[in-house]
Amino acid sequence: MRNLINKLRREQRLENEEWKQLLEAGKAEREGGAVFSLEENDSLLAYSACQARQVREEIFGKAIYIRGLIEFTSYCKNDCYYCGLRRSNKEAERYRLNQEEILSCCRKGYELGFRTFVLQGGEDGRLDDQWMEQMISRIKNEFSNCALTLSVGERERKTYLQWKNAGADRYLLRHETADSEHYKNLHPKELSLARRLDCLRNLKDLGYQTGCGIMVGSPGQTTEALIKDMEFMKMLQPEMVGIGPFLPQHSTPFAGEKAGTLEETLFLLSLIRLMLPKVLLPATTALGTVREGGREMGILCGANVVMPNLSPADVRKKYLLYDNKICTGDEAAESLSSLKKSMEKIGYEIVTDRGDSPMKKEREKHV
Ligand code: 5AD
């Protein structure tokens, strides 16, 4: 199996059959009780992590990029079975930040050293194209040396274009799964994989640095579905990939489902780093939630981004995609300084930099 990891590192691709062997071997190892350990051991997980770390360091050194996450609306018109913001969740308290509140999160973030802001929200039916355009312009005017990432779900191509023209740089839209049957298990019938993939193609085509991604261990996820995910990511060539374990939320239809595991998420992070060496790969909040120190382990498996929360402290506990989400209380400054320390402890350094994708820089060289 190490040969397959070596091949993935060398050629950045595997055949379908090889993915199957590798993913099944990883699964068998986890079922046998393998856990992540820093000491070199014989596990596939440790080997892939070590290879992924080397590849990450060849390209990015020890730098960790930070993104200031602003969760600006918890309204959502969708009803995804896994998500705590789904419209049928009557327990969820809804909120929407206004432009001044969002700008004040950015100002606080800028002082702390953030040079990327991520505006994330549910698919808020009242989120108006023009309002968003104006928000983007105001942020880009005031913070001209910062990158702006949007993550507000599926929209028309012309809207994505309008926002791009207003100055948005990047867009995160996890595809959730590249298997259409699995997609149907996770979403109500009005949502489709075809439409999701269309949005991702539009974003790429319009020149956004684009992020896709999945939840690891979501209900019904099979090895076949994961192979499709890897093949899809290879084809899309995203600048970013967001993955984290699926975590049940108590007032969703998936309340009683099993959570995704730390080990499986770490294994996939390292395989994604080997397949897409230049990708920006966050160690997500969900990874830090499934196990204390999970984000640090993600970094040691090839991740190179963290996304601390810049939302006002009083709204954080209302943005609950899943249960037990970390950092729902502490101030941004507090959580950044403890993150800095914990990253230094494992030999990495948080940098103040827009942290654009190296793929973007290469495209610009050619024009
Ligand atoms: N567990 C883990 N991740 C979740 N997301 C939504 N609900 C959950 C959950 N219960 C992820 C989805 C979405 C992103 C914003 O959060 O992948 O794209």
Side-chain angles (χ1 to χ4, degrees), residues 19-269:
W19 275 123
K20 189 173 165 69
Q21 283 175 33
L22 184 55
L23 293 172
E24 293 285 348
K27 187 171 167 193
E29 184 179 272
R30 289 189 301 278
E31 283 166 0
V35 292
F36 181 70
S37 117
L38 249 193
E39 288 82 57
E40 183 52 33
N41 64 27
D42 284 339
S43 76
L44 265 188
L45 174 56
Y47 188 71
S48 63
C50 174
Q51 298 299 311
R53 212 153 54 229
Q54 286 173 17
V55 167
R56 175 250 204 266
E57 285 176 24
E58 281 167 18
I59 297 172
F60 297 98
K62 298 281 194 182
I64 293 177
Y65 300 118
I66 49 174
R67 318 300 193 197
L69 186 63
I70 304 169
E71 297 159 333
F72 73 101
T73 173
S74 71
Y75 285 88
C76 192
K77 62 178 158 59
N78 292 337
D79 220 15
C80 309
Y81 305 142
Y82 47 84
C83 183
L85 299 187
R86 67 198 304 268
R87 68 163 185 266
S88 303
N89 182 5
K90 300 288 180 259
E91 277 180 33
E93 275 184 70
R94 309 290 172 167
Y95 71 92
R96 197 180 277 126
L97 301 183
N98 63 33
Q99 293 201 351
E100 282 310 318
E101 289 168 322
I102 294 173
L103 282 168
S104 90
C105 294
C106 296
R107 289 181 196 124
K108 187 174 68 181
Y110 194 90
E111 286 299 305
L112 291 169
F114 287 92
R115 295 297 177 266
T116 292
F117 303 115
V118 182
L119 293 188
Q120 184 162 86
E123 289 201 13
D124 185 342
R126 293 229 198 126
L127 178 62
D128 176 80
D129 294 356
Q130 275 66 42
W131 182 93
M132 194 68 178
E133 180 184 38
Q134 189 185 41
M135 185 74 262
I136 296 165
S137 309
R138 290 183 73 184
I139 294 175
K140 292 296 285 196
N141 272 330
E142 186 169 336
F143 306 97
S144 54
N145 61 340
C146 294
L148 182 57
T149 306
L150 306 181
S151 179
V152 291
E154 298 179 8
R155 289 275 176 160
E156 298 296 330
R157 181 184 168 100
K158 67 173 190 326
T159 304
Y160 288 152
L161 174 63
Q162 181 185 5
W163 294 348
K164 184 78 181 45
N165 289 337
D169 302 279
R170 310 183 187 140
Y171 204 103
L172 303 175
L173 182 69
R174 291 191 181 175
H175 63 290
E176 314 296 357
T177 171
D179 180 301
S180 57
E181 282 309 304
H182 186 215
Y183 200 91
K184 286 184 202 156
N185 293 336
L186 302 178
H187 302 96
K189 63 176 183 319
E190 59 273 18
L191 296 175
S192 79
L193 178 61
R195 164 134 171 93
R196 194 79 169 177
L197 300 186
D198 233 31
C199 288
L200 281 164
R201 274 189 289 267
N202 281 331
L203 290 164
K204 248 323 225 186
D205 191 51
L206 292 168
Y208 280 94
Q209 295 175 53
T210 304
C212 64
I214 60 168
M215 291 173 289
V216 178
S218 63
Q221 185 173 62
T222 57
T223 301
E224 276 62 38
L226 284 173
I227 296 171
K228 288 183 185 167
D229 288 321
M230 299 309 269
E231 291 175 342
F232 168 70
M233 289 184 218
K234 184 70 195 170
M235 195 228 11
L236 182 70
Q237 293 284 311
E239 281 78 9
M240 291 102 65
V241 171
I243 74 164
F246 158 75
L247 298 169
Q249 204 280 357
H250 66 275
S251 40
T252 63
F254 286 169
E257 298 287 340
K258 273 215 297 290
T261 66
L262 173 82
E263 285 77 16
E264 186 174 14
T265 310
L266 295 174
F267 188 48
L268 287 168
L269 278 171

